[in-house]
Amino acid sequence: MTTSEPRAKRGNQEGSEPRLRKDGYWQANYVAGYKPSGQAILKSAYGKTKADCTRKLREALREVHAGQSTVGLKPRLIEWLDYWLANIAPATAKSPQTRKGYSNKINSHIRPHRLAGKRLDKLTPTDFEMIYAAMRESGLSETSILGLHAILRRALNMSVKRGVLGKNPILLLDAPSPEPFEPQVYSTEEVRRMIAATKNRDDEARWLLNLMLGPRQGEALGLTWSDIDFENGKIRIERELFVLPWEHGCNPDDPLAPKCGRRFGRHCPMRRGGGYFTGAPKSVAGVRSVTMPGPLLQALLRHAEARKTIRAHEPWTVWKDQDGVERDLVFCRPGGMPLYSKADWTAWRELLAEAKVPPGRIHDGRHTAATTMLLLGVPQRVVMEILGWSQISMLQRYQHVLDEMHQDVADKLSAHWAEPEPEPVPQLDNVISLQDRFRNRGNFGA
């Protein structure tokens, strides 16, 4: 009697040995993943023959090892996006403004679309191409489409990492190409007219700050008097002021289906989540200390004196932010409350009209400040620090200025290293040869 060798135990990474079922098919089991509790999720491969079953088992295990196999009923696209917004995005998108921008794009372009109810594993690149096409038909720019594309790519990439989705169909699409960025920059003469126009305005310091140092609107409106060091002539920028829209609070389960009968969240009797907030600048580089030019320093001193006079004769309350911290704002409404961003826009347009310069955005003042500094020869790294840029790629927006600077440097180097021209040989009429000189000397001796 012979004894057969015991079979080696197969590991979870190999699947089970195919076995013949009563219905004539072969079946092999394998571990496709694990539940949050740690319990293994088993799946099976089937074949008409043992070899066919073994082949399908190997294919299934290859997908598991490559991270392309998913288990369970997949969530719908809008369900996953809502989960991603609430639980995953805050880890990387720390700014409430950024997350609100994500939410707005999803609510505007995904939630109303039939694609919102499609399960993740059924999504195709064509589905997203249809959404992008609809956005183009509505007149939206490629930049707006690219913004939605980036949000979807991040959210679906995370679903792949979490094992919810096998492959991200967005990756099979070419990202939309935004139009080349051309900043609107005011000329030196136009800026001089704008500065002259500020002399007759109460907000002179606000617009000198915009044109000379170019902070973002939220950074300027978030400045407090404690951020200004008059003795050393410096401004500390470490926060921005922003507004979040009010949401309906009458239906906590679904804020998009209000029960109060009001259309807008700001009119809801139980509104929530909106108002003025302060937060860190867009990046770590946004926290900075900047030296003030003389005209700006003097304008802020005049602004401080005028503010003291007003506070001595009118009711004034120092505004408290969402954390209860008092913020004595430099630029604010009468009474100390934050300035409406729209009111700030209106004042800017009034200034442009008074100075008789083309209309533009407040942010164009930032572009003008950057261009002016570059044309004055300020080192690029210093310009980045003053404006709070974290990436040197931002300078590519001002390539036309950099090209002019490079040409100027090339001209100076050419002049510096050029070979000196030889000095001209003087032409003297009274020069005579030695022979004539000796001849003349002989004549003198005679």
Side-chain angles (χ1 to χ4, degrees):
M1 179 177 178
T2 60
T3 59
S4 60
E5 292 292 331
R7 290 184 181 180
K9 184 177 180 181
R10 297 168 66 93
N12 288 338
Q13 302 295 326
E14 302 176 12
S16 67
E17 182 74 20
R19 64 178 180 84
L20 184 62
R21 293 159 44 103
K22 292 182 179 180
D23 58 5
Y25 279 82
W26 290 79
Q27 175 182 348
N29 302 324
Y30 63 95
V31 177
Y34 295 89
K35 296 180 180 179
S37 62
Q39 181 182 357
I41 301 174
L42 297 178
K43 296 187 75 174
S44 300
Y46 301 93
K48 292 183 178 180
T49 65
K50 183 177 181 180
D52 188 32
C53 181
T54 301
R55 179 182 58 80
K56 292 182 178 179
L57 174 64
R58 289 173 180 172
E59 292 176 355
L61 289 174
R62 191 180 302 114
E63 290 184 355
V64 170
H65 298 159
Q68 299 174 356
S69 175
T70 60
V71 294
L73 187 62
K74 305 303 175 287
R76 303 182 189 279
L77 175 60
I78 196 61
E79 293 173 346
W80 174 254
L81 292 176
D82 287 340
Y83 177 83
W84 176 77
L85 278 174
N87 301 283
I88 301 177
T92 54
K94 299 185 181 299
S95 169
Q97 282 181 292
T98 301
R99 297 196 298 272
K100 190 62 182 177
Y102 292 170
S103 178
N104 288 341
K105 284 184 170 59
I106 291 172
N107 290 337
S108 298
H109 307 297
I110 301 297
R111 198 177 298 274
H113 199 277
R114 64 174 182 81
L115 185 64
K118 200 168 185 178
R119 299 200 180 275
L120 293 187
D121 57 337
K122 303 299 182 183
L123 293 172
T124 65
T126 305
D127 293 327
F128 298 103
E129 288 173 338
M130 292 174 60
I131 289 183
Y132 298 165
M135 294 175 69
R136 292 186 181 97
E137 290 178 3
S138 65
L140 292 176
S141 66
E142 292 298 308
T143 301
S144 297
I145 300 173
L146 179 61
L148 178 64
H149 178 85
I151 294 170
L152 293 171
R153 185 184 66 243
R154 292 191 192 103
L156 295 181
N157 276 344
M158 187 56 65
S159 72
V160 174
K161 290 182 180 180
R162 297 290 178 90
V164 178
L165 182 63
K167 290 183 179 179
N168 183 354
I170 286 283
L171 300 181
L172 300 177
L173 291 175
D174 292 331
S177 301
E179 300 84 356
F181 176 80
E182 295 183 3
Q184 177 173 335
V185 177
Y186 291 101
S187 67
T188 301
E189 179 58 33
E190 290 171 335
V191 173
R192 285 175 177 162
R193 294 208 302 268
M194 294 160 68
I195 292 176
T198 64
K199 301 297 183 183
N200 302 321
R201 299 176 60 93
D202 296 334
D203 53 3
E204 174 192 13
R206 168 71 182 97
W207 304 124
L208 289 185
L209 174 65
N210 190 46
L211 293 168
M212 293 183 175
L213 296 181
R216 302 174 181 90
Q217 184 185 31
E219 294 172 345
L221 298 184
L223 281 177
T224 64
W225 289 110
S226 61
D227 298 325
I228 300 178
D229 182 356
F230 286 108
E231 183 177 352
N232 296 307
K234 290 184 176 294
I235 292 180
R236 175 73 176 174
I237 299 176
E238 59 184 15
R239 82 185 63 82
E240 63 176 357
L241 180 75
F242 59 91
V243 179
L244 292 179
W246 291 100
E247 297 179 350
H248 282 277
C250 53
N251 187 5
D253 297 331
D254 188 0
L256 298 177
K259 297 180 179 179
C260 65
R262 272 80 168 184
R263 179 181 179 185
F264 299 106
R266 64 178 180 270
H267 298 147
C268 178
M270 303 176 66
R271 66 181 187 178
R272 63 180 183 180
Y276 289 96
F277 295 82
T278 58
K282 293 181 66 174
S283 64
V284 176
V287 178
R288 58 202 188 273
S289 184
V290 183
T291 301
M292 293 182 285
L296 174 58
L297 175 59
Q298 296 302 318
L300 282 169
L301 285 170
R302 291 191 292 270
H303 187 60
E305 289 299 321
R307 180 62 52 82
K308 289 179 181 178
T309 302
I310 295 174
R311 294 174 74 157
H313 298 87
E314 297 181 7
W316 198 277
T317 302
V318 177
W319 175 68
K320 294 182 179 179
D321 66 11
Q322 70 276 9
D323 298 320
V325 179
E326 290 189 344
R327 305 291 187 185
D328 193 2
L329 300 172
V330 176
F331 307 112
C332 59
R333 285 182 280 165
M337 292 298 291
L339 186 65
Y340 291 118
S341 57
K342 290 185 178 180
D344 198 45
W345 273 84
T346 300
W348 170 254
R349 287 194 291 265
E350 291 174 352
L351 173 68
L352 300 183
E354 291 176 16
K356 294 181 172 55
V357 300
R361 308 169 303 163
I362 292 179
H363 207 74
D364 294 331
R366 179 173 171 83
H367 296 318
T368 300
T371 303
T372 302
M373 285 186 273
L374 289 171
L375 288 175
L376 291 175
V378 178
Q380 296 179 19
R381 177 58 61 179
V382 176
V383 175
M384 291 181 62
E385 292 175 356
I386 292 175
L387 294 174
W389 288 339
S390 60
Q391 298 176 350
I392 198 169
S393 59
M394 295 295 293
L395 286 170
Q396 295 177 356
R397 298 183 168 194
Y398 305 90
Q399 192 60 48
H400 62 291
V401 180
L402 298 178
D403 290 342
E404 294 178 12
M405 295 174 64
H406 292 167
Q407 184 61 49
D408 181 62
V409 171
D411 293 342
K412 290 179 179 179
L413 287 174
S414 299
H416 179 76
W417 294 113
E419 294 184 3
E421 296 182 1
E423 296 183 2
V425 178
Q427 300 294 330
L428 301 177
D429 297 336
N430 58 348
V431 174
I432 61 176
S433 66
L434 288 176
Q435 185 177 4
D436 291 340
R437 184 176 180 84
F438 288 132
R439 185 183 301 112
N440 292 336
R441 181 179 298 176
N443 294 335
F444 291 146

